[in-house]
Amino acid sequence: MSAERRSSTAPTLAWHANRSVDESPPGVPRWVKVFGVVAVIVVLLAIAAMIWVGGEHGPGRHMHGDHTAASAFAPFVDP
Amino acid sequence: MTDSPGLHRLVLTTHITTSVGWLGAVLAYLALDIIATVGQDVANVRAAYFGMQVLILYIIVPLAIASVLIGIVNALSSPWGLFQHYWIVVKVLLTLFAITILFLEVRSVGHVAEIAASGADPRELPGSLPHSIGGMIVLFVTTALSVYKPRGVTRYGSRKQQERRLARMHSNPSSRVP
């Protein structure tokens, strides 16, 4: 389907199509780099917090005895 | 890619509805999580864990799966594509991260709700506030990316754009720049 045909039937899609044609040349944009740096910092802080708090993290911390993962998906079924 | 603008709008509407619904459901979950974590009334805390389990199993997970699947269909059926723009790639990565944490959280909440319902003091159970708040932030960021659509084309996207330009020039020679 051509961009021209889209633009004649859907203004929103025409805007999308026109804008995509006018995009800047390749190269990682600054906002992506900033976003990546922030994401790495957040992940490192989360790992540091887990180490600082200590103990088990994730689903395993609630699993003791004979609890199984499958039971979480059938919570309202009588044993 | 679909040839029907009506069908594409239906897919887009469903994608927006499921995605924003997912964010709304996470906000409701967060409210219950706060009660479960800081509440002092045993009955309220137990009810909060039960509500969290119902919300995550029957609302959040179905909405998340629907949002991801319909989002992929929506991207592939539009001029944006799935890997042509950085904002869509970032959105896909964030959504996959969120859904991975969500599936891990389903197991945790199931077990905690089970323990809370068994008669034990539910106030001693750990809540899941970091995950709830994190999920809310990630979904808010993906929503903002969809609205602002920051500029930036991937190498693959640039190649596809050149192909489209060439195809237009071949189909309409008068559009060539002198």
Side-chain angles (χ1 to χ4, degrees), chain A residues 16 19-20 23 31 67 75, chain B residues 53 80 114 149 151 161:
Chain A
H16 285 184
R19 185 172 168 188
S20 64
E23 286 288 1
W31 74 265
H67 289 303
Chain B
Q53 189 182 27
W80 291 99
E114 219 172 84
K149 297 179 175 61
R151 285 180 180 273
Q161 284 184 6

Side-chain angles (χ1 to χ4, degrees), chain A residues 68-77, chain B residues 53 56-58 61 102-108 110-111 114:
Chain A
T68 61
S71 64
F73 291 93
F76 311 117
V77 178
Chain B
Q53 189 182 27
I56 202 167
L57 274 177
Y58 299 117
V61 167
L102 172 63
F103 279 120
L104 294 173
E105 189 70 9
V106 168
R107 298 175 64 192
S108 291
H111 284 282
E114 219 172 84

Side-chain angles (χ1 to χ4, degrees), chain B residues 49-65:
Chain B
Y49 277 117
F50 177 75
M52 285 162 66
Q53 189 182 27
V54 172
L55 261 182
I56 202 167
L57 274 177
Y58 299 117
I59 306 290
I60 296 177
V61 167
L63 279 174
I65 293 170

Side-chain angles (χ1 to χ4, degrees), chain B residues 44-118:
Chain B
N44 282 348
V45 173
R46 187 167 286 139
Y49 277 117
F50 177 75
M52 285 162 66
Q53 189 182 27
V54 172
L55 261 182
I56 202 167
L57 274 177
Y58 299 117
I59 306 290
I60 296 177
V61 167
L63 279 174
I65 293 170
S67 172
V68 170
L69 295 180
I70 298 168
I72 291 169
V73 172
N74 179 57
L76 292 175
S77 65
S78 78
W80 291 99
L82 192 58
F83 300 110
Q84 297 183 34
H85 298 264
Y86 279 106
W87 72 266
I88 298 177
V89 174
V90 170
K91 195 180 157 190
V92 168
L93 291 175
L94 283 175
T95 306
L96 290 178
F97 175 73
I99 212 162
T100 304
I101 301 296
L102 172 63
F103 279 120
L104 294 173
E105 189 70 9
V106 168
R107 298 175 64 192
S108 291
V109 172
H111 284 282
V112 170
E114 219 172 84
I115 295 165
S118 69

